Amino acid sequence: MSEEVVHDREARAYEAVHEARDFQELKRRYKNFVVPWTITFMAWYLLYVACCNWARDFMSHQVVGHINVALIFGLLQFVSTFLIAALYGRFANRRLDPLASGLNAKYKRERRR
């Protein structure tokens, strides 16, 4: 089979998947998860940076021993990153992967045509 024929088959298969309702639903679900969580995380991060710059008295407040608010906020940045990643993994397994698997099967079927 020539390279041109293979390319045409793959292009048709991609277009068929791209036009599928499941693909539109997959994109919608993805955006509905990612956009709010990205905005939330960025707001939380910018709050941390702003407090470090303009609320130094608050951030330097000792909580326990030599542990201050800034250190706790900094560590919570890591905690929130891992929490969001875990939530996304669970969300993707339940809500995205079934659609993606169906679309992958459709793509493979269309490529064989």
Side-chain angles (χ1 to χ4, degrees), residues 21-100:
R21 287 183 190 219
D22 281 352
F23 184 71
Q24 302 307 317
E25 179 64 16
L26 180 67
K27 288 190 331 183
R28 186 191 67 76
R29 288 180 188 182
Y30 176 78
K31 280 184 3 183
N32 285 345
F33 183 91
V34 170
V35 170
W37 279 108
T38 300
I39 291 169
T40 301
F41 180 80
M42 290 304 296
W44 159 234
Y45 176 72
L46 291 174
L47 174 68
Y48 171 64
V49 171
C51 286
C52 285
N53 283 312
W54 295 292
R56 292 182 184 205
D57 290 340
F58 171 68
M59 296 299 272
S60 65
H61 178 76
Q62 301 290 324
V63 177
V64 176
H66 293 290
I67 298 173
N68 62 17
V69 173
L71 180 61
I72 292 171
F73 272 30
L75 292 173
L76 286 174
Q77 290 292 315
F78 288 103
V79 171
S80 62
T81 299
F82 291 117
L83 176 66
I84 293 169
L87 289 172
Y88 177 75
R90 202 170 104 198
F91 172 79
N93 285 336
R94 288 185 300 127
R95 306 277 292 149
L96 301 180
D97 289 352
L99 284 175

Side-chain angles (χ1 to χ4, degrees), residues 9-24 103 106-107 109-111 113:
R9 279 186 178 180
E10 289 180 358
R12 280 194 313 268
Y14 175 79
E15 288 172 11
V17 169
H18 187 265
E19 293 169 1
R21 287 183 190 219
D22 281 352
F23 184 71
Q24 302 307 317
L103 289 166
K106 179 179 180 121
Y107 176 77
R109 279 192 311 273
E110 292 292 329
R111 265 184 55 193
R113 284 183 165 190

